[in-house]
């Protein structure tokens, strides 16, 4: 593919994406949230979110503390702002890792077929039979609770779905003429998979990954909520909610703000995912 | 057809063995031993060791695993819980009805809400109501389930006093947990149904039907819906599995004695027989549900039925 | 999106204005008690949780009742009197002849011997009377316990075994566990797994029929749900924690009792590792912690500040034993004296998930004197593994060493390294002192020995104890609850509406 053709494709894609107003809104929201995570230190120093002021415990929202304070007297606004780093990191890291592993396994299964496909598919069948939350819980229990293990646990639980998706996408792509052509030239298998098959199966994969970031953020919050999250005093959003549950009645605002931010970011990824679906698949928009 | 079902049922056996090995391995990687977990740090080493021996926990990994699997196959026995010293099956059967009821209720709720609103939205594409539906669905789909549950708990139990806050005594106790579980998945179904309907409407045969002069209503109900529901049914099937998993969180929020709370406690106590038993139990159920969905598929889509009758290879 | 925000705001707004309704009932004879976990077993000796103990306490009776703070003489129960031999090796109990089990059969000396032997053999409870060498019935109303060595707190230990029926055990060993028959004030009725357990009054109880006739224990693990259920009248009595205190205190229909406990929250330092092998550093840690703040943050003020491992209500405690107060400057001086250059990296502060709050505060306080560390949160079982094997440098936790002050030996003596002596402290002098308190029957001498022990422990700053959390009971104001004693064990026999 020549550069200019690629460029033309991109601008055509952007033109279609732009037409979708909600998708653009989602993108703006996403940029804002990512911006908040990137520039968290400029918004409010990290020191603020671990600083404990005993006298200020459990204060409701005010001008001094926009989102109030928690039971340690820590500023919740600072914690929510810096928490975005953890939650986005978890969402991105798990989705990308699951994508990478899913791509290798799914593409191998779909492309080679036969024994390879059989072995991979049967292993995936086994994983699919265990509820994902349970699998994550068991993995965290085995490895211990910290950021890295949380990411591993969630990744493990969503690999099977990715393998299945990529396998089926590759199955359809691998039958296309250009792949047959490449094979006849004697191109290596790995090259065919990464050069021809996967890029052409990219549409559904990109959409799925975008949407899965949202799902992953929600599952991470869920695990944190039942106390299997990351180590304190890191301000991950799910962990903030888990704390807030204890003070459900005394300080409901503790539950409100982190929840809204999880909701907004997860919504942003969903909206962008929707927008990508429509933009990549123009036939839906005639 | 029956040949196909038998084949699928037989296939479940190696899958279940795989599940058993997988969970058993992960559990054996968790640190600690049941004796010291139950007796605590003030206990004597001999007492802990004696208890571990009593549980058979002093045996090497593979011996424990084969003993466990052997007991299931030859004695149909899921073993005795380390923590409760009661048969695992009893604990499961005592809690499973709650989880099943919760899962079924929430699946029905999300199916009714999701599919009907999805059709409604698709039929009135781009109307105000369509947009409202989409936005509401998006919000619910983007929400952490437990957060929704806690918010509803504050509102309906504490503030309005309309619904009980915990337990599983009556159907009323299931309303909030079922809503917690079903609203996010209903939102997903709404989006899926809508998209699927819209896509189907654009297919050739629908255009043909329209061209032949069939009324709009007839086109939607007779032709479009049937085909549009195919992907929805699959999602619903795997959604049932997901709601069994999601029940873990809903049960925690509403302090409901079910499989979810049973398994979280068991994982923390390293109660291997309990975790294994509960997981296998759910895996069997999950396998059966997937099978049922595949069979349902055949009824909705006659093409697939034909494939089964040719001794086909399942869904590939 | 704006709609969502408005909706959420509405939910919040509503929550600010709604109020609670109070429930009052006349002539009530039943009670619903929330407990945090299901009863896993009703075996009279092989139980392990507080909930199980609480339920068994209502169904079974014991030889004696001993107040855990040791302030009063033992009260007679199934044993109407007792005698201790001169050498402190024989304990003789006279058994009442008018006590019957719930199935109508009388409680005999054989049942008493059987129950004590079963208790002694139990992996779960037996260590409490490990000094017992044998127990025998000398006649129809007398039971004698023989000890290996004199053991001062033996009466407390022997007041623990639940007296159960030997015949019933031999007839129906399964029913013995699942459908217990005791001689206590309440009879077992039924249990619904994971949900509830029902008891009814034993009208023939030898101390008179109880006032409360029907008892339901409901499993309700979440504190927030318990608070809610107390206010809606779904339950009558529950243990709560400080997180729901404000809202319950505001409700006149709910009364709260604060009960002292001997359990202690503390910082445990591994004495086998740098830099905590140096007593000066341990002292510095003791001075660095703002205990008042910790009590406010982690217990909402509902704990007694105490830098001594021995609770204030326990035998052997004295205000004169050295105490540590918050003094970060002194802490820094001590570190300088010990030759510690700050900032000093301690590596990780190991903590079990449920004590993460303590760790968060302690990390903050220690940072102020120049110690840097990461918090490493673990699942409880993994945590216990590392803790008991000494695979950590510093940790925060809460521990309960109930019973006689003698139990503190588990934290201080060489024999308990690898169990509850998590500082891994080993000192022959300390071991010897605890040997003496073991057999010293003279109360005053024994108190002096404990004073010596606790003074030594404080001087060497073996641990950095922080506070003794209070147990909080919340219940309907109409309920007449008794005065709760140390540790907060309760007997429904003492309750009435």
């Amino acid at each position: 593919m020549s550069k200019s053709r690629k460029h033309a494709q991109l601008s055509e894609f952007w033109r279609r994406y732009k037409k979708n107003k909600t998708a653009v809104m989602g993108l703006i929201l996403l940029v804002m949230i990512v911006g908040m995570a990137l520039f968290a230190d400029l918004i409010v120093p990290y020191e603020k979110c671990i600083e404990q002021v005993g006298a200020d415990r459990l204060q409701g929202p005010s001008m001094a503390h926009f989102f109030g304070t928690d039971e340690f007297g820590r500023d919740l606004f600072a914690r929510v702002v810096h928490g975005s780093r953890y939650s986005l990191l978890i969402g991105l890291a798990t989705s990308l890792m699951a994508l990478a592993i899913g791509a290798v396994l799914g593409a191998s299964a779909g492309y080679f077929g036969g024994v390879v496909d059989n072995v991979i598919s049967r292993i995936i069948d086994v994983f699919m039979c265990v509820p994902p939350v349970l699998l994550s819980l068991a993995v965290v229990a085995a490895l211990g609770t910290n950021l890295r293990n949380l990411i591993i646990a969630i990744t493990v639980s969503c690999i099977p779905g990715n393998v299945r998706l990529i396998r089926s996408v590759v199955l359809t792509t691998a039958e296309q003429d250009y792949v047959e052509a490449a094979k006849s030239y004697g191109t290596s298998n790995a090259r065919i998979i990464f050069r021809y098959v996967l890029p052409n199966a990219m549409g559904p994969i990109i959409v799925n990954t975008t949407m899965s970031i949202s799902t992953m953020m929600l599952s991470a919050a869920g695990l944190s909520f039942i106390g299997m999250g990351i180590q304190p005093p890191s301000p991950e959003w799910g962990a903030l909610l888990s704390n807030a549950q204890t003070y459900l009645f005394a300080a409901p605002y503790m539950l409100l703000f982190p929840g809204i931010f999880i909701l907004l970011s997860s919504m942003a990824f969903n909206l962008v995912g929707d927008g990508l679906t429509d933009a990549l698949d123009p036939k839906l928009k005639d | 057809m029956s040949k196909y079902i038998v084949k699928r049922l037989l296939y479940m056996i190696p899958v279940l063995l795989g599940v058993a090995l997988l969970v058993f391995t992960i559990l054996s990687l968790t640190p600690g031993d049941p004796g010291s977990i139950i007796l605590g740090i003030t206990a004597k080493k001999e007492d802990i060791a004696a208890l571990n021996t009593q549980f058979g926990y002093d045996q090497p990994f593979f011996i424990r695993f084969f003993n466990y699997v052997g007991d299931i196959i030859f004695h149909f026995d899921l073993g005795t819980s380390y923590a409760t010293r009661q048969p695992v099956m009893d604990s499961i059967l005592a809690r499973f009805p709650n989880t099943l009821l919760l899962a079924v209720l929430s699946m029905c709720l999300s199916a009714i809400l999701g599919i009907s609103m999805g059709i409604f939205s698709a039929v009135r594409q781009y109307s105000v109501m369509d947009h409202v539906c989409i936005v509401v669905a998006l919000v619910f789909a983007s929400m952490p389930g437990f957060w929704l549950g806690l918010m509803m708990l504050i509102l309906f139990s504490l503030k309005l006093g309309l619904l009980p806050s915990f337990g599983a005594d009556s159907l009323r106790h299931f309303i909030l947990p079922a809503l917690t579980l079903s609203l996010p998945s209903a939102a997903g179904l709404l989006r899926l149904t809508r998209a699927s309907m819209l896509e189907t409407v654009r297919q050739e045969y629908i255009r043909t039907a329209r061209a032949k002069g069939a009324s709009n209503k007839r086109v939607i109900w007779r032709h479009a819906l049937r085909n549009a529901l195919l992907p929805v049914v699959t999602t619903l099937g795997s959604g049932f599995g997901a709601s069994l998993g999601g029940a873990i969180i809903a049960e925690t929020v509403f302090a409901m004695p079910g499989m979810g709370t049973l398994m979280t406690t068991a994982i923390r106590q390293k109660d291997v027989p309990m975790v294994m038993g509960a997981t296998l139990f759910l895996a069997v159920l999950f396998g059966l549900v997937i099978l049922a969905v595949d069979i349902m598929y055949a009824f909705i889509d006659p093409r697939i039925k034909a494939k089964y009758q040719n001794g086909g290879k399942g869904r590939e | 999106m704006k709609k969502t925000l408005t909706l959420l705001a509405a939910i919040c707004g509503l929550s600010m204005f709604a109020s609670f309704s109070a429930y009052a009932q006349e002539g009530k004879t039943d009670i619903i008690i929330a407990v945090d976990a299901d009863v896993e077993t009703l075996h009279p000796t092989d139980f392990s949780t507080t909930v199980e103990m609480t339920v068994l306490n209502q169904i079974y009776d014991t030889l004696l009742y001993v107040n855990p703070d040791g302030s009063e003489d033992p009260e007679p129960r199934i044993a109407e009197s007792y005698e201790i031999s001169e050498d402190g090796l024989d304990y003789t109990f006279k058994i009442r002849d008018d006590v019957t089990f719930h199935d109508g059969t009388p409680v005999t000396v054989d049942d008493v011997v059987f129950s004590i032997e079963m208790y002694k053999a139990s992996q779960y409870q037996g260590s409490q009377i490990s000094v017992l060498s044998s127990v025998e019935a000398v006649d129809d109303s007398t039971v004698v316990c023989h000890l290996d060595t004199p053991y001062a707190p033996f009466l407390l230990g022997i007041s623990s075994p639940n007296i159960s029926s030997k015949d019933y055990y031999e007839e129906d060993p399964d029913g013995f566990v699942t459908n217990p028959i005791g001689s206590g004030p309440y009879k077992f009725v039924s249990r619904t797994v994971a949900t509830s357990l029902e008891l009814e009054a034993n009208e023939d109880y030898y101390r008179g029929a109880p006032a409360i006739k029907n008892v339901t224990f409901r499993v309700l693990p979440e504190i927030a749900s318990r608070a809610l259920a107390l206010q809606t009248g779904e339950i009558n009595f529950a243990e709560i924690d400080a997180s729901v205190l404000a809202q319950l205190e505001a409700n006149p229909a709910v009364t709260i009792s604060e009960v002292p406990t001997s359990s202690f929250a503390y910082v445990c330092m591994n004495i086998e590792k740098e830099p905590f092998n140096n007593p000066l550093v341990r002292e510095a840690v003791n001075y660095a912690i703002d205990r008042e703040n910790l009590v406010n943050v982690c217990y909402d003020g509902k704990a007694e500040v105490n830098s001594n491992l021995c609770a204030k209500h326990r035998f052997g405690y004295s205000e004169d034993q050295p105490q540590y107060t918050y003094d970060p400057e002194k802490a820094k001086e001590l570190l300088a004296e010990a030759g510690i250059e700050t900032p000093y990296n301690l590596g990780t502060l190991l903590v079990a998930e449920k004590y993460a709050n303590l760790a968060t505060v302690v990390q903050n306080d220690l940072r102020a004197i120049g110690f840097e560390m990461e918090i490493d949160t673990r699942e409880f079982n993994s945590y216990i593994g590392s803790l008991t094997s000494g695979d950590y440098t510093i940790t925060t936790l809460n521990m309960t060493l109930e019973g006689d002050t003698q139990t503190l030996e588990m934290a201080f003596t060489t024999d308990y390294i690898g169990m509850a002596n998590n500082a891994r402290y080993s000192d022959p002098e300390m071991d010897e002192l605890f040997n003496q308190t073991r057999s010293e029957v003279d109360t005053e001498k024994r108190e002096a020995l404990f004073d010596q022990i606790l003074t030594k422990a404080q001087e060497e700053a073996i641990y950095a104890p922080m506070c003794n959390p209070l147990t909080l009971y919340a219940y309907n104001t109409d309920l007449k609850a008794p005065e709760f004693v140390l540790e907060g064990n309760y007997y429904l026999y003492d309750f009435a509406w």
Side-chain angles (χ1 to χ4, degrees):
Chain A
M1 254 184 269
S2 73
K3 257 203 174 131
S4 64
R5 240 189 82 198
K6 227 172 198 172
H7 191 259
Q9 266 188 346
L10 267 181
S11 67
E12 164 64 13
F13 167 77
W14 174 238
R15 191 188 60 77
R16 283 202 302 261
Y17 188 93
K18 249 186 345 198
K19 277 199 342 209
N20 187 339
K21 265 181 289 172
T22 47
V24 173
M25 250 172 59
L27 191 63
I28 295 172
L29 193 59
L30 186 62
V31 168
M32 280 166 59
I33 289 164
V34 171
M36 178 168 90
L38 287 179
F39 302 110
D41 284 316
L42 297 180
I43 302 172
V44 50
Y46 182 74
E47 199 49 38
K48 274 292 249 183
C49 67
I50 51 167
E51 183 190 32
Q52 303 175 8
V53 184
D56 281 359
R57 320 181 46 230
L58 299 173
Q59 300 284 310
S62 67
M63 281 318 284
H65 303 286
F66 300 134
F67 295 172
T69 59
D70 69 3
E71 74 270 33
F72 296 94
R74 298 179 297 203
D75 182 47
L76 276 176
F77 175 71
R79 291 183 69 73
V80 168
V81 168
H82 282 270
S84 62
R85 293 188 160 183
Y86 293 91
S87 297
L88 287 182
L89 176 70
I90 293 170
L92 278 173
T94 50
S95 297
L96 293 180
M97 269 167 61
L99 173 67
I101 299 171
V104 171
L105 292 180
S108 317
Y111 180 80
F112 294 112
V115 182
V116 180
D117 183 21
N118 247 317
V119 169
I120 293 176
S121 296
R122 295 302 82 88
I123 294 176
I124 294 304
D125 280 347
V126 168
F127 273 83
M128 291 292 260
C129 273
V130 184
V133 189
L134 185 70
L135 196 58
S136 305
L137 264 176
V139 171
V140 172
L143 299 178
T145 46
N146 59 38
L147 183 60
R148 188 198 66 198
N149 296 344
L150 183 66
I151 291 176
I152 294 176
I154 297 171
T155 307
V156 167
S157 71
C158 77
I159 288 175
N162 271 7
V163 175
R164 281 212 167 167
L165 173 85
I166 292 170
R167 177 180 169 276
S168 69
V169 174
V170 167
L171 266 183
T172 45
T173 322
E175 286 164 4
Q176 307 283 336
D177 291 341
Y178 54 85
V179 175
E180 294 294 327
K183 269 187 193 164
S184 66
Y185 288 137
T187 321
S188 80
N189 281 330
R191 195 174 156 79
I192 295 179
I193 292 179
F194 287 104
R195 198 55 215 264
Y196 300 101
V197 178
L198 279 181
N200 285 292
M202 224 53 208
I205 296 175
I206 290 177
V207 171
N208 183 62
T209 307
T210 316
M211 301 280 211
S212 89
I213 295 176
S214 142
T215 321
M216 296 302 104
M217 283 174 61
L218 296 184
S219 354
L223 277 184
S224 273
F225 174 72
I226 38 183
M228 300 252 185
I230 66 178
Q231 64 277 54
S234 309
E236 192 263 327
W237 286 340
L240 295 188
L241 287 181
S242 177
N243 257 11
Q245 193 205 8
T246 319
Y247 293 89
L248 194 57
F249 308 115
Y253 59 85
M254 278 173 73
L255 194 67
L256 192 63
F257 295 109
I260 289 177
F261 274 80
I262 295 185
L263 174 65
L264 288 180
S265 10
S266 148
M267 206 156 80
F269 282 107
N270 278 333
L271 282 172
V272 171
D274 280 352
L276 289 175
T277 317
D278 294 350
L280 288 167
D281 193 357
K283 69 173 182 284
L284 286 179
K285 279 283 163 189
D286 55 6
Chain B
M1 189 76 180
S2 59
K3 202 171 146 198
Y4 169 75
I5 295 176
V6 171
K7 210 171 155 185
R8 284 284 301 269
L9 286 176
L10 284 177
Y11 174 60
M12 273 173 74
I13 296 172
V15 170
L16 288 174
L17 273 175
V19 170
L21 185 61
L22 172 73
V23 178
F24 208 82
T25 312
I26 299 180
L27 284 178
S28 70
L29 291 176
T30 59
D33 56 272
S36 37
I37 292 161
I38 291 169
L39 295 182
I41 48 174
T42 54
K44 288 208 181 100
K45 287 230 159 59
E46 308 93 81
D47 287 342
I48 292 174
L51 205 57
N52 282 335
T53 312
Q54 195 185 317
F55 293 146
Y57 195 79
D58 51 344
Q59 305 279 324
F61 174 82
F62 278 108
I63 302 211
R64 274 187 289 135
F65 181 70
F66 286 122
N67 281 342
Y68 181 78
V69 174
D71 276 348
I72 296 181
I73 295 175
F74 299 116
H75 307 117
F76 214 67
D77 179 10
L78 280 181
T80 308
S81 154
Y82 293 161
T84 69
R85 281 148 280 156
Q86 305 284 317
V88 166
M89 205 50 172
D90 293 0
S91 298
I92 293 178
L93 290 181
R95 290 170 177 83
F96 178 64
N98 289 339
T99 305
L100 183 67
L101 181 58
L102 180 58
V104 169
L105 266 181
S106 66
M107 203 177 77
C108 292
L109 254 174
S110 62
I112 293 169
L113 278 174
I115 297 178
S116 60
M117 299 302 279
I119 296 172
F120 176 83
S121 229
V123 171
R124 300 185 189 193
Q125 198 186 5
Y126 303 134
S127 71
V128 177
M129 281 315 287
D130 178 31
H131 282 116
V132 170
C133 278
I134 291 174
V135 170
V136 171
L138 187 70
V139 168
F140 278 115
S142 311
M143 218 179 248
F146 64 91
W147 189 66
L148 174 66
L150 288 173
M151 292 307 232
M152 290 201 298
L153 193 99
I154 295 185
L155 181 63
F156 293 108
S157 294
L158 182 69
K159 301 310 171 191
L160 302 179
L162 288 177
L163 292 165
S165 57
F166 69 90
D169 297 349
S170 71
L171 213 54
R172 284 181 67 230
H173 288 80
F174 283 86
I175 298 177
L176 285 183
L179 279 176
T180 303
L181 213 57
S182 62
L183 286 180
S185 64
L189 273 180
L190 186 154
R191 286 150 56 93
L192 185 72
T193 312
R194 181 178 178 276
S196 180
M197 279 290 281
L198 290 179
E199 184 160 18
T200 317
V201 168
R202 288 189 193 89
Q203 303 282 332
E204 280 311 314
Y205 59 89
I206 301 287
R207 291 190 192 177
T208 318
R210 280 217 170 112
K212 283 197 326 205
S215 75
N216 207 15
K217 226 180 194 164
R218 193 180 152 81
V219 169
I220 287 166
W221 292 113
R222 281 284 309 200
H223 301 273
L225 192 58
R226 202 176 161 119
N227 286 289
L229 281 187
L230 267 179
V232 176
V233 169
T234 333
T235 323
L236 212 56
S238 56
F240 183 73
S243 63
L244 283 176
I248 293 181
I249 304 232
E251 285 168 11
T252 311
V253 174
F254 295 98
M256 179 177 269
M259 297 291 283
T261 38
L262 179 73
M263 284 195 285
T264 29
T265 326
I267 288 180
R268 283 165 191 232
Q269 290 177 324
K270 203 171 178 180
D271 190 346
V272 180
M274 189 68 95
V275 183
M276 293 293 295
T279 315
L280 287 177
F281 190 88
L282 286 188
V284 169
L285 192 74
F286 186 67
L288 292 178
V289 170
I290 295 284
L291 179 57
V293 170
D294 285 351
I295 295 168
M296 226 151 86
Y297 234 72
F299 282 102
I300 301 180
D301 190 344
R303 283 170 300 182
I304 296 177
K305 199 169 181 177
K307 210 171 166 188
Y308 293 147
Q309 275 153 0
N310 295 338
K313 285 182 59 178
R315 287 191 286 153
E316 270 96 5
Chain C
M1 211 149 44
K2 202 167 173 193
K3 280 196 178 81
T4 344
L5 290 176
T6 329
L7 177 74
L8 292 172
I11 292 177
C12 267
L14 263 170
S15 60
M16 306 291 165
F17 295 109
S19 61
F20 315 118
S21 51
Y23 281 74
Q25 262 134 44
E26 297 290 318
K28 247 174 99 91
T29 56
D30 44 356
I31 187 169
I32 303 175
I33 295 169
V35 289
D36 61 359
D38 190 16
V39 169
E40 307 286 17
T41 180
L42 287 167
H43 195 289
T45 66
D46 291 359
F47 59 91
S48 52
T49 67
T50 316
V51 179
E52 288 159 4
M53 186 187 71
T54 305
V55 171
L56 291 167
N57 277 349
Q58 322 304 327
I59 299 173
Y60 285 102
D61 220 329
T62 52
L63 285 180
L64 302 168
Y65 169 75
V66 180
N67 190 324
D69 63 9
S71 60
E72 291 151 46
D73 284 339
E75 283 175 38
R77 287 287 189 268
I78 290 177
E80 58 188 4
S81 66
Y82 65 92
E83 239 172 77
I84 308 172
S85 66
E86 284 285 317
D87 57 6
L89 291 177
D90 296 322
Y91 285 68
T92 310
F93 298 94
K94 279 273 170 221
I95 307 300
R96 289 177 73 120
D97 58 4
D98 58 347
V99 186
T100 56
F101 287 114
H102 298 152
D103 62 357
T105 57
V107 175
T108 66
V109 284
D110 289 340
D111 294 318
V112 173
V113 170
F114 161 78
S115 304
I116 294 175
E117 280 174 344
M118 178 178 248
Y119 190 84
K120 158 100 177 148
S122 164
Q123 284 141 10
Y124 296 83
Q125 306 295 331
S127 58
Q128 306 222 25
I129 51 169
S130 52
V131 289
L132 179 78
S133 70
S134 68
V135 51
E136 59 174 331
V138 277
D139 60 42
D140 281 354
S141 64
T142 316
V143 171
V144 184
C145 296
H146 302 290
L147 274 58
D148 293 325
T149 52
Y151 185 62
F154 183 70
L155 269 188
L156 184 61
I158 202 65
S159 72
S160 307
N162 291 315
I163 304 302
S164 53
S165 163
K166 187 183 179 189
D167 290 344
Y168 183 45
Y169 178 73
E170 279 162 359
E171 256 164 48
D172 184 1
D174 288 330
F176 183 76
V177 179
T178 54
N179 188 13
I181 293 181
S183 62
Y186 288 93
K187 298 182 195 175
F188 174 78
V189 178
S190 66
R191 166 177 176 236
T192 314
V193 176
T195 309
S196 62
L197 186 143
E198 312 259 348
L199 303 178
E200 67 178 7
N202 171 11
E203 297 294 337
D204 302 325
Y205 188 53
Y206 63 90
R207 288 159 67 206
I212 305 258
K213 302 299 178 194
N214 297 297
V215 181
T216 307
F217 289 94
R218 286 290 320 247
V219 179
L220 198 49
E222 295 297 328
I223 300 278
S225 325
R226 275 186 236 170
L228 198 62
L230 269 170
Q231 299 183 68
T232 56
E234 286 167 276
I235 58 172
N236 310 116
F237 182 95
E239 183 179 341
I240 55 155
D241 69 21
S243 63
V244 293
L245 201 63
Q247 134 209 48
L248 290 181
E249 275 173 343
N251 188 335
V254 177
T255 301
I256 292 159
S257 281
E258 297 175 2
V259 189
T261 68
S262 63
S263 87
F264 45 91
Y266 66 116
V267 179
C268 187
M269 297 156 276
N270 189 341
I271 291 179
E272 289 175 354
K273 290 202 176 163
E274 295 268 353
F276 298 120
N277 50 0
N278 187 341
L280 290 174
V281 180
R282 302 200 297 266
E283 255 188 85
V285 169
N286 264 291
Y287 280 116
I289 296 162
D290 185 350
R291 293 180 172 80
E292 263 93 26
N293 175 56
L294 179 123
V295 163
N296 273 331
V297 170
C298 299
Y299 300 95
D300 285 70
K302 299 299 174 187
E304 285 183 277
V305 168
N306 185 2
S307 65
N308 193 325
L309 212 60
C310 183
K312 294 178 181 176
H313 307 267
R314 288 179 100 171
F315 181 73
Y317 175 87
S318 153
E319 292 286 337
D320 301 332
Q321 290 150 8
Q323 301 192 18
Y324 292 97
T325 48
Y326 179 49
D327 190 347
E329 290 315 311
K330 178 114 189 221
K332 284 180 198 160
E333 282 166 30
L334 284 163
L335 285 187
E337 198 186 329
I340 300 281
E341 276 182 38
T342 54
Y344 185 98
N345 195 340
L346 283 175
T348 55
L349 191 167
L350 186 75
V351 73
E353 180 206 315
K354 61 176 165 182
Y355 307 128
N357 270 5
L358 295 174
T360 310
V361 174
V362 168
Q363 180 196 36
N364 198 50
D365 282 346
L366 292 186
R367 218 159 46 130
I369 63 161
F371 279 128
E372 293 294 332
M373 74 207 81
E374 293 283 318
I375 295 177
D376 179 8
T377 4
R378 301 267 190 86
E379 262 297 284
F380 194 67
N381 40 10
S382 139
Y383 171 74
I384 290 298
S386 297
L387 181 71
T388 52
S389 62
D391 183 19
Y392 77 99
T393 312
I394 181 169
T395 178
T396 56
L397 72 155
N398 188 90
M399 187 152 78
T400 306
L401 296 174
E402 279 183 352
D404 188 85
T405 310
Q406 187 70 35
T407 54
L408 288 183
E409 71 187 351
M410 294 191 210
F412 290 121
T413 59
T414 314
D415 286 350
Y416 289 92
I417 293 178
M419 287 182 258
N421 179 356
N422 298 310
R424 309 180 80 74
Y425 174 81
S426 175
D427 180 310
E429 195 191 331
M430 188 64 111
D431 294 351
E432 179 49 34
L433 280 170
F434 270 108
N435 260 336
Q436 292 175 21
T437 55
R438 214 165 223 281
S439 48
E440 181 57 70
V441 280
D442 183 278
T443 311
E444 258 173 56
K445 283 186 193 155
R446 195 160 182 256
E447 192 161 19
L449 284 170
F450 276 127
D451 190 52
Q452 221 178 316
I453 287 171
L454 293 167
T455 305
K456 183 176 166 66
Q458 288 303 87
E459 277 167 356
E460 295 182 27
I462 301 171
Y463 293 96
M466 302 186 289
C467 62
N468 303 114
L470 296 165
T471 292
L472 301 177
Y473 288 131
Y475 46 92
N476 295 155
T477 305
D478 301 333
L479 183 69
K480 292 186 195 70
E483 188 101 1
F484 295 98
V485 295
L486 182 68
E487 318 297 10
N489 295 336
Y490 54 87
Y491 296 84
L492 291 166
Y493 186 71
D494 306 329
F495 286 60
W497 284 103

